[in-house]
Amino acid sequence: MKRLLKNFLPHLAYFYHHLRYRMSVLLITSIFVGLLDGLGLTMFLPLLELIADPNAQASSEKLGNLAFLLDGLRTLGLNLNLNVVLLTMLVFFIFKGIATFFERYMRVVYQQFFIAKIRLDNIQALSNYSYNAFVHADAGAIQNTMSGEVERVMQAFRTYSTMLQQLVMILTYAALAFLASPEFAVLIVIGGVFSNFLFSALYRKTKILSSELVKRNHTFQGYIIQAVAFFKYLKATAAMQGYSEFLRLKVLDIEATNRKMGVLNSIMMGLREPLMIGIVVSVILIQVNVLGGGLSTIILSLLFFYRGLTSLTALQTSYNQFLGYSGSLDNMSSFFNELVAHANTPGRQPFTAFEHSLELKNIGFSYQKNRPILQAINLTIEKNESVAFVGESGSGKTTLLNIITGLIRPESGVYLIDGLPVNDLDIQSLQKHIGYITQDPVIFDDTFFNNVTFWAEHNKTNLGRFEDALRKAHVLAFVHGLEHQENTRLGNNGISLSGGQKQRISIARELYKQVDFLFMDEATSALDSETEKAIQENIDELKGQYTMLIIAHRLSTIKNVDRVVVMKEGQIENIGSYEELLEKSHVFKRMVELQEL
Ligand code: ADP
Ligand code: MG
């Protein structure tokens, strides 16, 4: 019982937090259902009496403290004959029907409300989640929690609200049984408490298995996502075999846990009824043989207990199901808290347009303590300047760009845009002015038009802007050559496109947005010469029209930028034009030589 309460109350708080007054509505309607049912049942006793002797009037002594019911009818001036008793019973059950309808209906409505609220809260929290925290998070767990786990939370609520309803019914029946025959009721309750001890051990086991299952499902999900993401690599290197063997073990593991839970459930299901009936039988025997009471006084109480027993069985079933889902509930709330704990705290100042310069003053950053990734970065970038960042892999180029885009915040130093500290800016209003071309071009499985315009309305103005962007990105002729033109679908992750085409499309998308900044993180892998050409053409063409920051791996692509920043071990080694650096930077000269080999 204590354990039941311990599991019951915190979750009640969780549901109450989301549903508020709606919980009371559910509670009150449940009480009504139970009361009306009980009152209807009470009428069975006078009915039995009248069946034995149809001409008599029903008496009220056998009802114990519920006698007021018949007495009440009598004071209304009614003769307690068969018609009145039957009719009263019918009226109670009609009202119970209405209450049941209302209770069920509200439950469905609130269930939908609850789940929609969880989904919306999660989406909101995810969109505020800081990038810093995201890079350390488990992407598989996030995906799984926001999709599959939500379903399980809904099941948790469904089973919990059934439980709540059954609990209310039990309490109502117990109260009625107590009114009818207090002595008998107390004995039954004692028996019930004993039987509960037996079940609690089984419950505990189920609970542990349930949270284990959640964890296993998560890791499994994560591995599946990676199997899809790295499909090509796994396939090409014949590593898929080993990987699927590994996945097979995970599946078997999950299966075994599920089976264990199934066994526990079956044991409980089988045990429950014989145990309960055993208790009732013993209590009747005690009542009659030891306490010397008559059977007639306990009939009504027994009737309520029998009814309560049905609810108790249902309660234990739903409690057990609920335990199976409760792991998800804990998981969902800790997931949500984690998102909220790492929410962005943007400033309030809106960013309207880039006017003069970006200034990085003595910027430092580290992902982990005592392992500085960036140190003492000092750099000023003027509007419409084009700046390339070069340096060994791991020298901090991407991290620096992440700081400049506002994805992560520097740990030390000051970052100013047009003289304003970026921390004071509403970061999203700044990011709307940023075009970002990532290492892996982002291509959606949708049409050319939607990929570039981000699902803008297909009208004349937008089409004009669309073509403009394509022209600037040197991809217009390609699109015009296609059978379905801008309505051609690009396939899963742009599978039907070459690397260069993907690059040009993702540049076109940024140009369509009418941004101030263009940031580019070139692919680290060797670019094919077509892609390399695409990038170089785009850079040369767009230079001077946008403030461009380019992380370059192929140095040929950045021959014409205004300035090149050479990064080394998280610091700026040198800054200058391509030609200047060949003279003055050792590191740069060596990089160029290596690439010309
Ligand atoms: P570059 O782009 O120049 O190759 P990065 O900025 O990506 O370099 O990385 C710089 C350093 O920061 C590397 O040593 C890398 O291991 C580390 N690093 C990058 N991202 C993370 C992260 N999310 N968590 C911890 N360390 C990271
Ligand atoms: Mg990088």
Side-chain angles (χ1 to χ4, degrees), residues 131-132 135-136 365-368 371-374 391-402 439 521 524 551 553 567:
Y131 183 76
N132 263 9
V135 294
H136 293 296
F365 182 81
S366 61
Y367 288 103
Q368 291 143 13
R371 237 196 104 221
I373 300 293
L374 293 176
E392 276 179 10
S393 171
S395 57
K397 305 180 295 292
T398 301
T399 308
L400 182 57
L401 204 59
N402 287 344
Q439 296 195 350
D521 200 344
T524 20
I551 295 179
H553 296 278
M567 302 277 300

Side-chain angles (χ1 to χ4, degrees), residues 350-364:
F351 178 84
T352 45
F354 184 41
E355 307 278 356
H356 309 290
S357 65
L358 297 179
E359 286 170 84
L360 299 167
K361 291 184 178 166
N362 214 12
I363 295 286

Side-chain angles (χ1 to χ4, degrees), residues 359-497:
E359 286 170 84
L360 299 167
K361 291 184 178 166
N362 214 12
I363 295 286
F365 182 81
S366 61
Y367 288 103
Q368 291 143 13
K369 280 197 184 89
N370 306 325
R371 237 196 104 221
I373 300 293
L374 293 176
Q375 284 172 302
I377 301 287
N378 286 295
L379 183 66
T380 300
I381 297 166
E382 303 296 331
K383 182 177 160 85
N384 290 346
E385 203 184 358
S386 51
V387 178
F389 294 84
V390 302
E392 276 179 10
S393 171
S395 57
K397 305 180 295 292
T398 301
T399 308
L400 182 57
L401 204 59
N402 287 344
I403 287 179
I404 297 176
T405 55
L407 270 181
I408 55 182
R409 281 190 181 181
E411 250 169 20
S412 54
V414 190
Y415 171 25
L416 304 170
I417 294 188
D418 290 339
L420 271 172
V422 172
N423 284 351
D424 294 349
L425 285 180
D426 167 11
I427 205 74
Q428 290 201 20
S429 70
L430 167 66
Q431 286 166 338
K432 283 192 183 123
H433 292 256
I434 295 176
Y436 195 0
I437 297 126
T438 50
Q439 296 195 350
D440 314 299
V442 177
I443 304 287
F444 297 93
D445 183 5
D446 209 307
T447 64
F448 245 109
F449 184 81
N450 286 339
N451 257 286
V452 171
T453 65
F454 243 70
W455 295 272
E457 199 189 325
H458 198 292
N459 59 28
K460 216 167 158 191
T461 329
N462 288 343
L463 200 60
R465 266 175 70 195
F466 167 75
E467 298 208 332
D468 227 38
L470 293 190
R471 190 176 302 111
K472 279 192 194 163
H474 289 260
V475 71
L476 186 63
F478 174 69
V479 175
H480 279 170
L482 293 169
E483 191 190 337
H484 300 292
Q485 307 258 320
E486 77 274 7
N487 296 320
T488 311
R489 292 188 76 91
L490 300 186
N492 192 5
N493 205 17
I495 210 140
S496 51
L497 299 166

